[in-house]
Amino acid sequence: MQLVLHAGAHFTENERLMRCLLRNKEQFSSRGVAVPAPGKYRVLLRETLDALEDAPPAPEARDILLDAILDEESADRMILSHMYLFGAPRACVRNGMIYHDAPRRLAHLSSLFPHDDIEVFLAMRNPATFLPALFTNAPQADMDSFLRRADPGAIRWSDTIDQIRAAVPRITLTTWCFEDMPMLWAQIIREMAGLEHGEKIIGGFDLLSEIMSAEGMQRFRAYLHSHPTMTEMQKRRVIAAFLDKFAIDDEIEEELDAPGWDDSTIEALTEIYEEDMTRVARIPGVTFIAP
């Protein structure tokens, strides 16, 4: 079995991505790729990994879990999406690290599927907007308390990725920047399903249509129709050009609720994030999808 786990991050269009996968369920199934409904596995998978905190998996645990999720569907590849597997938003930053529990949780998953191929898909988001988004769900009164006195400028996605690779080196990891998702949407779906570049999917512009005006989308689709041989890289450049002209400002502007942070803090964190992405792209065993 090829087990694909989409694990977030929080606030990176997780549910929209899941809906897109489900729209392609029938097409993917004909290719041996299962996209189970989330209700079949999210609670079950979390409870199973919770149980593995106390004891190793029973010999039959893997087969029982797969039978419950697949419900007699035959598949060589299975896509699961569970952004709470590494923790709730209010508790996923600990000891200055995003998803502190991810390495341990993935080690448990690896022990449950010792002979299967496991691929983890994880979006990354600029801490300048990601940490405030997490903070909106937190019980703490200020960002400093929420981060448990950690310096936000020292929080790196690369630390999380490094720890995951060290804990479970056999697991492959595919990642990308949330800010680039409108241009990468179709490729992310294809990578999850194990499809070739350029293969048609349903909803390849789902996210783009949310942030681009109706006129822009109409012109964009017309442009694609008149240029059918464009490569994926060429399409991304075209998307960027159309967004520059037709983006809906209210959909792309983010409201920050980070008490005590000013513009200079946001700029500094953004610069650190951009530098960190260069490092992530160079980590062995990591596929970094970029525009």
Side-chain angles (χ1 to χ4, degrees):
M1 175 67 70
Q2 296 172 340
L3 175 63
V4 175
L5 175 64
H6 171 231
H10 294 94
F11 309 109
T12 58
E13 298 291 351
N14 302 298
E15 291 305 316
R16 191 190 305 276
L17 194 149
M18 186 72 248
R19 290 194 298 270
C20 186
L21 288 168
L22 289 171
R23 289 176 65 193
N24 287 273
K25 179 179 176 67
E26 184 175 345
Q27 172 190 343
F28 289 173
S29 180
S30 68
R31 308 278 291 270
V33 180
V35 185
K40 285 188 174 182
Y41 62 81
R42 283 185 175 170
V43 172
L44 180 61
L45 185 59
R46 189 191 70 240
E47 290 178 345
T48 299
L49 292 188
D50 286 346
L52 293 178
E53 297 284 347
D54 301 317
E60 68 278 7
R62 179 259 189 199
D63 293 337
I64 292 174
L65 183 63
L66 285 182
D67 287 344
I69 295 174
L70 289 172
D71 194 21
E72 299 185 357
E73 180 180 0
S74 178
D76 301 313
R77 186 178 182 90
M78 179 172 67
I79 305 174
L80 307 179
S81 181
H82 199 327
M83 72 292 307
Y84 282 83
L85 210 57
F86 301 154
R90 65 179 182 273
C92 70
V93 179
R94 291 168 48 198
N95 299 328
M97 179 176 166
I98 300 170
Y99 296 136
H100 178 273
D101 292 340
R104 189 182 75 254
R105 301 286 277 180
L106 288 175
H108 292 326
L109 187 72
S110 179
S111 71
L112 184 61
F113 295 92
H115 306 298
D116 301 288
D117 294 330
I118 302 175
E119 304 174 31
V120 173
F121 283 71
L122 180 69
M124 298 174 293
R125 180 171 172 175
N126 185 352
T129 64
F130 183 57
L131 297 178
L134 297 175
F135 176 66
T136 61
N137 290 267
Q140 290 88 354
D142 57 78
M143 181 65 77
D144 191 43
S145 298
F146 169 64
L147 296 178
R148 296 163 177 82
R149 316 302 175 196
D151 175 8
I155 295 174
R156 304 280 195 280
W157 280 104
S158 57
D159 291 339
T160 301
I161 305 301
D162 276 335
Q163 291 294 322
I164 290 173
R165 292 291 302 145
V168 277
R170 79 177 188 89
I171 288 180
T172 61
L173 201 151
T174 299
T175 189
W176 60 91
C177 293
F178 166 68
E179 297 78 13
D180 296 329
M181 283 187 75
M183 290 177 283
L184 305 177
W185 188 264
Q187 183 178 347
I188 293 168
I189 300 294
R190 291 189 194 101
E191 295 283 351
M192 288 185 175
L195 304 182
E196 296 295 328
H197 284 206
E199 289 197 52
K200 296 291 185 181
I201 63 167
I202 300 170
F205 301 117
D206 278 0
L207 182 54
L208 187 63
S209 64
E210 290 293 318
I211 63 174
M212 189 185 292
S213 69
E215 179 190 358
M217 283 302 301
Q218 184 177 10
R219 292 190 180 190
F220 171 68
R221 292 185 184 279
Y223 188 92
L224 290 185
H225 183 72
S226 63
H227 297 78
T229 60
M230 281 193 300
T231 66
E232 289 299 308
M233 293 303 295
Q234 288 171 331
K235 285 181 183 178
R236 291 173 195 171
R237 286 195 289 269
V238 170
I239 290 173
F242 271 81
L243 279 175
D244 188 54
K245 186 173 182 180
F246 294 105
I248 303 172
D249 290 340
D250 289 346
E251 295 295 335
I252 61 175
E253 292 178 355
E254 296 179 288
E255 293 185 9
L256 300 181
D257 183 14
W261 287 12
D262 55 20
D263 289 345
S264 63
T265 303
I266 303 301
E267 291 173 4
L269 292 177
T270 299
E271 183 176 343
I272 291 169
Y273 171 63
E274 291 171 352
E275 293 172 353
D276 196 38
M277 293 303 94
T278 301
R279 187 178 187 286
V280 168
R282 295 172 178 167
I283 297 176
V286 173
T287 297
F288 182 77
I289 306 176

